[in-house]
Amino acid sequence: MYKSSQVTQGVDRAPHRSLFKALGWSDSQFNKPIIGIVSAQSDIVPGHMHINSLVAAVKEGIISAGGNAVVIPSIGVCDGIAMNHEGMKYSLVTREIIADSVECMAKAHALDALVLIPNCDKIVPGMVMGAARVNIPSIVISGGAMLAGKVGEKRISLTDMFEAVGACAVGKMDQETLDEYENEACPTCGSCSGMFTANSMNCVVEALGLALPGNGTIPAVFSERIRLARKAGEQIIYLLKNDIKPSDILTKEAFKNSLTVDMALSCSTNTLLHVLAIANEVNLKIDGQMINEISSNTPNFCKLAPAGRHFISDLYYAGGVQAVMNELLKLGKLNGKLITVTGKTVAENVKNAKVKDENVIRSKNPYSSTGGLAVLFGNLAPEGCVVKRSAVSPNMLVNKGKAKVYDSEEDAIKAIMSGKIKSGDIVVIRYEGPKGGPGMREMLSPTATIAGMGLDNSVALITDGRFSGATRGASIGHVSPEAADGGPIAFVKDGDIIEIDMHKYTISLLVSNEELAKRKKEYKPVEKKLSGYLNRYARCVSSASEGAILK
């Protein structure tokens, strides 16, 4: 008996059937399962502008396999458009709204299963969180990646666009070249072309086993993406008939697999925030020490933009996530026995995958013996902070410098653009955490501007906020506890010496315990006037070390 029989079967459900008939349903449909298609189609997000074509393919797949297909909308923020203004406060917070919406719509309408069609940053984890919470058969088919742009012989992405602003500000790039970058950086629909947060999460969800092979890397503009969508529609009926639910797939071993793939691919730091939040929905605990253990034992195979000059389309042609996973399996780094949405095991899914370009997937000659991400601990971040180690210049992996402290992203940007940041400085941006921001803004503009000025090899940035997946350099985010919670980052003063050692996973404020205790007594948090959803969010959100979940 399908769950949807609660709204379709029996004499007392005649009023319900009447409403379905208002939708154009016929009597023959009431004996078939109802599959919700959660669509993030939008006219404001380039990664989502084309999703209706995937929705149509999913519907065809569902109907041909014997189900009813109903489309449910999802909100979604474009982080690039929201960047560097008040809008970024409204990005991470939508993850919880999306998860809640999936739960509400699935429960209210007694849906039997879900096909999730996200693409960009918070939409992917938000939908997965909602599906995990509802725990009915679910499958993810993302929108796919944008192709890289090109200026002359140089292939570019949105990272280059943000860095061009800094280059233009110091006279390294003229206005005409900046205009050319602006016209060429984002040439197609799809999630931005590098290994930024959106593509990182699409790869991670594939590694988790919630998406079909190819989900993370098939470009948005390829017809293969539409074929994958149709297959996802057919496959959800298989999952329903075999009662394969998210709780069967999202095991602790599956999360270990996903984090291992994350490290090998060198994904965005934001993946850790989202993986923690998804794990919370299935009552699993993942901490920084576990993440570091995986990182220390996982070789870094790939350096996609912003860490290098390869793009998602290159990873696709090189064999995709499947090839990376097969190489990790050969090294004994993955559990190949886990069930996935294909109905087959991890090992069965990737057994025929091969590395087709060893310049893109360096499994025989890894960039490093350790993973792309690291969680640093110390008296500045007792609960940890996160860095994309693979995108850091070798000379900055161990670093010591004087702090220049700012209580907002805006203040930091003003200082950077006015030339106040010099080689050897460590920029500290605080009161931008989940609660203090609120909303834990991404700091792509400060990091990209510094990179564009040529200072990314000599200046580190530390924040209790986040960094975009498009960020490169010694950019350390998610400092926990955050300043608004009285974390040690709140006590840093201009001129303090901060010491960073990414090899040893440490970050230290070189100030005595006595001095820190004195500063703590004098501490007065920055007060912000809040209203609406941000006010509610700030009162309920947890630390970044817990995934910035609502409690």
Side-chain angles (χ1 to χ4, degrees):
M1 183 70 72
Y2 296 123
K3 187 181 292 288
S4 59
S5 64
Q6 299 175 60
V7 295
T8 61
Q9 302 300 313
V11 174
D12 58 342
R13 294 303 185 257
H16 304 65
R17 290 193 295 274
S18 180
L19 290 168
F20 278 107
K21 288 181 176 180
L23 295 169
W25 283 38
S26 64
D27 287 332
S28 63
Q29 290 180 264
F30 294 126
N31 294 317
K32 299 176 182 178
I34 303 177
I35 314 300
I37 302 172
V38 186
S39 167
Q41 195 282 330
S42 168
D43 290 342
I44 193 66
V45 184
H48 295 179
M49 61 186 284
H50 64 298
I51 279 179
N52 277 345
S53 63
L54 302 181
V55 170
V58 169
K59 289 179 75 172
E60 289 174 4
I62 291 170
I63 293 168
S64 68
N68 293 304
V70 294
V71 182
I72 299 166
S74 169
I75 64 167
V77 167
C78 176
D79 278 17
I81 294 174
M83 194 70 65
N84 195 26
H85 61 94
E86 183 189 24
M88 183 46 69
K89 294 178 184 288
Y90 287 89
S91 176
L92 178 62
V93 303
T94 63
R95 188 187 70 184
E96 317 310 311
I97 295 174
I98 293 164
D100 291 348
S101 297
V102 170
E103 175 190 359
C104 290
M105 293 299 284
K107 291 282 191 179
H109 301 99
L111 300 181
D112 295 300
L114 295 168
V115 179
L116 311 171
I117 314 184
N119 206 27
C120 292
D121 297 30
K122 307 324 155 293
I123 300 90
V124 179
M127 286 191 186
V128 172
M129 288 165 66
R133 193 182 301 169
V134 175
N135 198 33
I136 56 178
S138 302
I139 192 169
V140 176
I141 166 63
S142 301
M146 182 184 289
L147 299 181
K150 195 172 184 182
V151 172
E153 293 303 310
K154 182 181 180 181
R155 296 166 73 211
I156 64 172
S157 69
L158 191 65
T159 297
D160 301 279
M161 191 67 251
F162 275 93
E163 291 182 9
V165 173
C168 193
V170 295
K172 290 186 175 183
M173 180 181 289
D174 58 30
Q175 185 64 47
E176 183 178 351
T177 305
L178 181 67
D179 291 343
E180 187 177 9
Y181 269 57
E182 179 181 325
N183 290 327
E184 303 298 334
C186 299
T188 71
C189 61
S191 46
C192 295
S193 57
M195 189 57 85
F196 312 148
T197 305
N199 291 322
S200 294
M201 285 307 303
N202 289 329
C203 291
V204 165
V205 169
E206 181 178 335
L208 268 173
L210 276 180
L212 295 172
N215 181 75
T217 56
I218 298 171
V221 294
F222 283 17
S223 296
E224 187 181 354
R225 175 65 61 176
I226 297 175
R227 297 199 300 271
L228 191 73
R230 185 174 286 105
K231 186 176 179 180
E234 296 167 352
Q235 191 65 17
I236 193 62
I237 302 299
Y238 170 88
L239 294 174
L240 178 61
K241 289 180 177 178
N242 289 274
D243 196 30
I244 299 175
K245 300 184 292 295
S247 60
D248 300 313
I249 296 171
L250 296 177
T251 63
K252 192 158 191 176
E253 288 298 307
F255 281 101
K256 287 182 179 179
N257 274 2
S258 71
L259 288 168
T260 301
V261 174
D262 190 333
M263 297 302 169
L265 288 172
S266 186
C267 293
S268 164
T269 54
N270 288 316
T271 57
L272 300 188
L273 195 72
H274 301 320
V275 166
L276 291 174
I278 295 168
N280 175 72
E281 296 292 347
V282 289
N283 299 313
L284 290 176
K285 176 70 173 177
I286 295 173
D287 58 28
Q289 297 296 349
M290 173 181 160
I291 292 166
N292 282 344
E293 183 179 348
I294 292 171
S295 181
S296 65
N297 288 291
T298 305
N300 177 202
F301 292 165
C302 304
K303 281 197 176 185
L304 278 66
R309 297 312 305 175
H310 295 136
F311 300 88
I312 291 293
S313 57
D314 298 316
L315 181 59
Y316 164 77
Y317 284 118
V321 175
Q322 307 101 291
V324 171
M325 293 182 73
N326 200 17
E327 293 300 303
L328 290 169
L329 272 171
K330 292 175 185 177
L331 295 173
K333 303 296 183 182
L334 296 181
N335 185 331
K337 298 179 181 179
L338 306 181
I339 194 69
T340 71
V341 291
T342 64
K344 300 177 182 178
T345 64
V346 169
E348 289 171 329
N349 286 344
V350 305
K351 66 181 180 180
N352 295 321
K354 296 178 181 178
V355 175
K356 300 175 184 177
D357 188 338
E358 293 181 2
N359 292 317
V360 178
I361 302 175
R362 286 176 42 170
S363 54
K364 294 180 180 178
N365 181 30
Y367 287 98
S368 66
S369 60
T370 55
L373 303 181
V375 182
L376 313 182
F377 292 91
N379 67 342
L380 185 58
E383 295 176 5
C385 53
V386 183
V387 63
K388 189 169 186 172
R389 186 167 49 185
S390 62
V392 178
S393 298
N395 66 298
M396 294 294 286
L397 293 170
V398 178
N399 181 37
K400 184 189 290 187
K402 288 185 178 180
K404 288 193 174 176
V405 185
Y406 304 95
D407 287 343
S408 71
E409 178 187 8
E410 287 82 0
D411 289 346
I413 279 286
K414 288 177 185 176
I416 294 166
M417 294 296 284
S418 62
K420 293 180 180 179
I421 305 304
K422 307 298 182 184
S423 178
D425 288 341
I426 294 182
V427 178
V428 177
I429 308 174
R430 61 193 180 193
Y431 294 101
E432 291 288 3
K435 181 182 296 184
M440 206 178 182
R441 285 194 286 183
E442 289 183 347
M443 306 290 167
L444 178 56
S445 289
T447 59
T449 303
I450 282 176
M453 290 176 168
L455 294 171
D456 55 301
N457 291 330
S458 60
V459 172
L461 292 94
I462 298 171
T463 182
D464 53 8
R466 298 180 297 132
F467 289 115
S468 167
T471 287
R472 64 185 177 93
S475 303
I476 301 167
H478 307 193
V479 172
S480 303
E482 62 177 294
D485 267 340
I489 192 173
F491 314 140
V492 183
K493 292 185 177 181
D494 284 340
D496 285 349
I497 303 298
I498 296 174
E499 189 172 54
I500 302 161
D501 190 331
M502 298 182 196
H503 297 307
K504 295 181 178 178
Y505 303 96
T506 60
I507 184 166
S508 303
L509 177 63
L510 301 186
V511 173
S512 69
N513 291 335
E514 292 77 16
E515 176 62 19
L516 280 177
K518 177 184 174 185
R519 293 181 187 182
K520 188 172 184 178
K521 286 183 179 178
E522 298 169 350
Y523 163 72
K524 292 182 180 179
V526 171
E527 298 286 346
K528 296 182 179 180
K529 291 183 179 180
L530 301 174
S531 61
Y533 180 59
L534 289 183
N535 183 38
R536 299 198 303 276
Y537 183 87
R539 286 189 279 111
C540 299
V541 71
S542 73
S543 168
S545 64
E546 297 180 285
I549 57 174
L550 296 187
K551 291 188 173 180

